[in-house]
Amino acid sequence: MKFVFRVDASFEIGSGHTMRCLTLADVLKDRGHDCEFIVREQPGHLIALIEAKGYFVHALPLPESVTATPDEHAHSHWLPGGQQQDSEDTLAVLQPNECDWLVVDHYGVGAPWETLVRKVCRHVLVIDDLADRAHQCDILLDQNMGRRADDYDKLVPQECVRLIGPQYALLRPEFANWREKSLSRRRQRTELRQLLISLGGVDKDNVTGDVLDALEACALSDSVTMTVVLGQQNPWLEKIQQQAASSRFKVTVKQGVSNMAELMSQADVAIGAAGSTSWERCCLGLPTIMLVLAENQKEVARYLTELGAAISVKISSEDSDCLAVKLDKLQDENFLRGLVDVSSRLIDGKGAERVLGRLE
């Protein structure tokens, strides 16, 4: 079958939508299916990355003049030109009857766009996190903790199949492959020696730098080693490298890594954003201090904190001791072990396989 993905990345959108679509595409490709992408050329796009993974990309140029469109929903501005313009551009790319599945992962897209475009596609899968707008689709995937199927009662057709919850989280196979080794290591060692810092693919406000500054003021032993992972789009590499060089800790800075599961498995604690990487960390039982970097991360952070699967913190100049207090809690072996046990029970890393079973 032929699958076409409509997804964007940019300095504002980030990379998470594209990365989870690539995860699903890789699983589909391994099963012999054909996958292509339709991507708008916004600053910070990931077209080169998608092509490097072997997929054909239909690049949509930015409209020459972007007319302001009514605010249909909170993320309408993520779609330059609006849904009408984007649907026309997408239809110009798609060939009638050649698309078995259209996969849409875009907060700027909703039912008006999907109604027009699905005429040339046999089926539509929508990946969403917000439940804030109507969709015209055959399958709706929302992998978020705390989401319920009835949240979409008035937003999708009655016959739409709803895949709801983190059991459908789209994780790369490497996380399932590293899961047992990671959990086994945590059963044997609960000390904080290796800290992993990863705050998303873009981190446009350089929260990573703020975290490094806050860590310098914490009562952590100088023997703790740190690995900072930056996304390929991160514009702060040079500044972060300068901070790492002057740190009292041994800090290694990496950018655009391809072995994230291995790095997570080697870490004792992570400081990370409460986005899609939350599920990767849970799969590996990695105790995490979460930071909310976007509005759509608040619910994930709240549920994981309430369940005892992670702890959250706000980095601010007004509360510079907050991170130190959270790190101090992680010196308690029983508390640390509890985070490992609860988080690892939430995700088994096989979500992409479950979604695949619904598509074939």
Side-chain angles (χ1 to χ4, degrees):
M1 290 191 289
K2 182 174 181 179
F3 291 77
V4 178
F5 291 78
R6 176 67 188 93
V7 62
D8 283 340
S10 72
F11 291 125
E12 180 174 5
I13 294 171
S15 62
H17 300 272
T18 295
M19 298 310 293
R20 65 184 176 187
C21 283
L22 281 170
T23 295
L24 182 56
D26 288 345
V27 173
L28 290 165
K29 184 171 68 172
D30 287 345
R31 293 292 291 263
H33 300 294
D34 181 30
C35 298
E36 297 180 359
F37 284 73
I38 301 175
V39 177
R40 182 71 68 180
E41 293 179 313
Q42 302 187 60
H45 65 73
L46 290 174
I47 292 175
L49 173 64
I50 300 170
E51 291 177 333
K53 291 182 69 68
Y55 298 106
F56 184 81
V57 178
H58 302 273
L60 305 180
L62 279 173
E64 292 184 6
S65 59
V66 179
T67 304
T69 56
D71 289 329
E72 298 170 321
H73 45 79
H75 293 83
S76 295
H77 63 287
W78 279 18
L79 202 67
Q83 295 195 70
Q84 180 67 37
Q85 175 70 59
D86 196 272
S87 63
E88 292 173 2
D89 293 345
T90 300
L91 282 169
V93 170
L94 293 171
Q95 296 298 316
N97 304 317
E98 283 193 10
C99 179
D100 295 292
W101 280 95
L102 176 64
V103 182
V104 184
D105 188 346
H106 204 303
Y107 291 170
V109 167
W113 187 101
E114 294 149 3
T115 299
L116 291 170
V117 176
R118 72 174 302 161
K119 296 174 183 177
V120 299
C121 304
R122 293 186 178 91
H123 307 286
V124 176
L125 163 65
V126 167
I127 303 174
D128 192 24
D129 306 290
L130 306 177
D132 69 343
R133 62 202 187 283
H135 293 289
Q136 276 295 324
C137 56
D138 301 286
I139 297 180
L140 186 287
L141 167 61
D142 187 327
Q143 64 186 26
N144 289 288
M145 182 74 61
R147 181 68 68 212
R148 301 183 312 184
D150 60 12
D151 289 337
Y152 287 95
D153 276 354
K154 297 180 180 180
L155 300 178
V156 297
Q158 187 173 359
E159 65 274 13
C160 174
V161 175
R162 305 175 207 183
L163 307 181
I164 307 295
Q167 68 268 32
Y168 296 106
L170 297 174
L171 304 190
R172 298 188 300 279
E174 65 182 275
F175 289 95
N177 295 340
W178 276 91
R179 176 176 165 82
E180 187 50 45
K181 186 174 183 179
S182 178
L183 295 180
S184 176
R185 176 183 173 279
R186 300 186 198 292
R187 296 185 195 107
Q188 299 169 23
R189 188 177 106 182
T190 53
E191 298 175 73
L192 174 48
R193 300 180 191 171
Q194 175 66 42
L195 183 62
L196 176 69
I197 303 167
S198 178
L199 291 160
V202 177
D203 188 17
K204 61 185 177 67
D205 297 321
N206 194 22
V207 179
T208 301
D210 295 336
V211 168
L212 288 174
D213 285 340
L215 287 170
E216 290 294 329
C218 290
L220 278 179
S221 168
D222 291 359
S223 64
V224 173
T225 60
M226 302 180 184
T227 301
V228 177
V229 177
L230 305 178
Q232 200 64 55
Q233 299 168 291
N234 192 299
W236 303 103
L237 175 61
E238 185 175 347
K239 184 173 182 180
I240 296 300
Q241 288 175 327
Q242 291 172 354
Q243 284 180 273
S246 62
S247 174
R248 65 185 176 92
F249 304 104
K250 180 183 178 182
V251 182
T252 302
V253 181
K254 298 175 180 287
Q255 185 172 36
V257 303
S258 59
N259 63 331
M260 195 62 178
E262 180 180 5
L263 294 174
M264 286 185 176
S265 296
Q266 294 169 347
D268 299 311
V269 171
I271 298 177
S276 57
T277 53
S278 298
W279 312 128
E280 298 172 355
R281 296 187 297 260
C282 284
C283 178
L284 300 175
L286 176 56
T288 300
I289 298 174
M290 295 180 302
L291 285 79
V292 174
L293 304 183
E295 186 68 27
N296 65 302
Q297 296 178 3
K298 287 183 177 179
E299 283 298 294
V300 173
R302 183 172 71 84
Y303 273 96
L304 289 178
T305 301
E306 289 178 356
L307 287 171
I311 55 180
S312 58
V313 67
K314 181 178 180 181
I315 303 294
S316 68
S317 56
E318 294 80 18
D319 190 9
S320 58
D321 294 332
C322 191
L323 182 58
V325 171
K326 302 296 185 182
L327 283 168
D328 190 54
K329 289 183 69 175
L330 294 178
Q331 306 296 322
D332 183 330
E333 287 191 15
N334 290 328
F335 182 78
L336 202 61
R337 224 180 279 276
L339 291 177
V340 173
D341 292 342
V342 175
S343 63
S344 63
R345 287 199 297 267
L346 298 175
I347 306 285
D348 62 7
K350 299 179 180 179
E353 294 178 20
R354 295 186 180 97
V355 175
L356 178 64
R358 297 288 190 148
L359 298 175
E360 291 185 316

